[in-house]
Amino acid sequence: MDYREAGVDVEAGRAFVQRIRSMVDSTTRPEVLGNFGGFSGLFQLPVGYREPVLVSGTDGVGTKLKLAQNLDRHETVGIDLVAMCVNDVLTCGAEPLFFLDYLATGTLNSEQLANVVSGITTGCRQSGCALLGGETAEMPGFYQVGEYDLAGFCVGIVEKSKILDGSQVQLGDVAIGLASQGVHSNGFSLVRKIVDDRGYNWSDRPDAFDGKSLGDVLLTPTQIYVQPILGALKQELPIHGMAHITGGGLPENLPRCLGVGQAVKVDPTAWTVLPIFDWLAAEGDVSPTAMFHTFNMGIGFVVLVPAEAVATTMQYFADQNLAAYAIGEVVSGSGVVGLPE
């Protein structure tokens, strides 16, 4: 016997690495050292920092991958993977520098996985970070044919004196919510249950979606907020805190950027809730409380600024073609108040 008879095609793996080489090269930065394909990736710290602090984050895409695999559409989940990591790293004020991916499958399907990597490189270019390396694991018997899983790891950098850690947030600061593009990459176990239990197909086109199918709407990738936020920081807009709204929604994620004894009083009527969330709530008979604790509800990222900076900040994001809403205010207390109980 040999490895191929056991289900692992080493030659196909080598060919796959060569196939994605140009995609990886398209994400390079001046700090990248060495060539793609080594045992490790080398990255030189950017110049100009007095006390550089490295910031790391890791995440996956979750059961949204089941939808991509059911529809045989793999070009967007790589963007999701990058977005989930770089948006997290961004919240402390860090610039993402490089990204690593881990891709595991039962049998290597070169066309399928090349589409996945294409999405990863798109996300890296959108966020300005280099795809420094990764791992493709072929694991026959562990995953079914056509199945794969993804994990990502990002490293960023921030000047120590500019780290946002909650201590800068003041009572009276205003929470400005930046629009999401849809469900993003959490809550899909509930999404899939609603669709399955109600007998829908991913190709169905409910009236609320302007001709788009359920699959089209739900595979919309996670918004990457890196470039607009880094631009705001470079323009020295007075951002006191930031939160990436992922699993747990506003109630669980907003408190993570606050100081001790602080809460955010949120006005849930201050922004436009996307049709997909109204549809999920109605079809699944999901309570408003459960909706806000599961989904982003149309707000994918939040920045906290002083009240006097709201107009300038809102105009800045409008100039970036990114919808922004004043959704709440920092008050005494804990957690998030004002949302459905």
Side-chain angles (χ1 to χ4, degrees):
M1 292 186 184
D2 60 18
Y3 214 4
R4 186 168 186 172
E5 291 182 56
V8 179
D9 191 335
V10 175
E11 290 302 321
R14 293 193 185 105
F16 176 70
V17 171
Q18 292 302 315
R19 177 171 182 170
I20 65 174
R21 181 178 295 274
S22 62
M23 301 182 199
V24 176
D25 288 344
S26 73
T27 72
T28 194
R29 290 174 51 125
E31 299 91 351
V32 175
L33 305 178
N35 297 315
F36 173 70
F39 287 102
S40 57
L42 305 177
F43 195 94
Q44 180 174 289
L45 289 181
V47 299
Y49 289 86
R50 290 179 294 178
E51 293 183 285
V53 175
L54 295 179
V55 182
S56 63
T58 186
D59 211 331
V61 181
T63 61
K64 189 174 186 176
L65 291 177
K66 295 291 288 185
L67 173 54
Q69 291 160 19
N70 287 340
L71 291 175
D72 194 25
R73 289 172 52 184
H74 312 281
E75 62 275 4
T76 60
V77 289
I79 300 174
D80 287 303
L81 181 67
V82 176
M84 295 297 284
C85 297
V86 298
N87 287 343
D88 278 356
V89 165
L90 182 65
T91 58
C92 69
E95 175 190 359
L97 295 177
F98 61 83
F99 189 83
L100 303 170
D101 69 84
Y102 174 80
L103 201 166
T105 187
T107 301
L108 197 153
N109 180 325
S110 181
E111 186 69 28
Q112 177 196 64
L113 299 188
N115 285 332
V116 174
V117 174
S118 176
I120 293 173
T121 57
T122 296
C124 286
R125 290 193 299 271
Q126 289 180 6
S127 56
C129 65
L131 180 54
L132 196 59
E135 170 71 6
T136 302
E138 194 172 2
M139 302 164 63
F142 198 87
Y143 296 96
Q144 298 299 314
V145 174
E147 288 186 349
Y148 59 85
D149 199 8
L150 294 174
F153 179 84
C154 177
V155 170
I157 190 169
V158 64
E159 189 71 64
K160 186 176 182 179
S161 63
K162 296 183 178 180
I163 295 173
L164 299 178
D165 58 6
S167 63
Q168 298 90 345
V169 179
Q170 304 294 317
L171 298 180
D173 281 353
V174 174
I176 295 178
L178 305 182
S180 71
Q181 295 189 133
V183 179
H184 284 184
S185 299
N186 58 275
F188 271 83
S189 294
L190 178 55
V191 169
R192 290 168 48 243
K193 180 172 177 57
I194 291 170
V195 172
D196 289 344
D197 286 359
R198 296 299 185 263
Y200 283 98
N201 295 312
W202 300 118
S203 59
D204 289 340
R205 301 176 185 271
D207 293 339
F209 301 152
D210 295 328
K212 292 183 177 180
S213 70
L214 271 171
D216 290 335
V217 172
L218 290 166
L219 279 179
T220 302
T222 306
Q223 175 77 41
I224 293 177
Y225 298 96
V226 172
Q227 296 304 329
I229 293 295
L230 290 181
L233 294 173
K234 288 176 182 177
Q235 291 191 24
E236 298 187 347
L237 291 179
I239 295 175
H240 290 171
M242 295 189 281
H244 182 203
I245 310 305
T246 55
L250 288 164
E252 291 189 25
N253 289 288
L254 258 183
R256 298 166 70 181
C257 70
L258 301 176
V260 177
Q262 294 177 339
V264 177
K265 184 178 181 181
V266 171
D267 176 7
T269 68
W271 70 93
T272 302
V273 175
L274 300 173
I276 182 61
F277 298 113
D278 291 333
W279 186 88
L280 290 168
E283 292 294 331
D285 193 23
V286 185
S287 70
T289 300
M291 288 296 296
F292 273 98
H293 277 84
T294 306
F295 301 110
N296 66 62
M297 298 301 287
I299 298 296
F301 203 85
V302 175
V303 298
L304 303 177
V305 300
E308 61 271 18
V310 170
T312 302
T313 304
M314 296 279 281
Q315 183 59 55
Y316 168 80
F317 287 117
D319 293 341
Q320 302 297 310
N321 296 314
L322 185 56
Y325 310 89
I327 67 170
E329 179 183 0
V330 178
V331 298
S332 296
S334 62
V336 175
V337 297
L339 295 178
E341 294 295 335

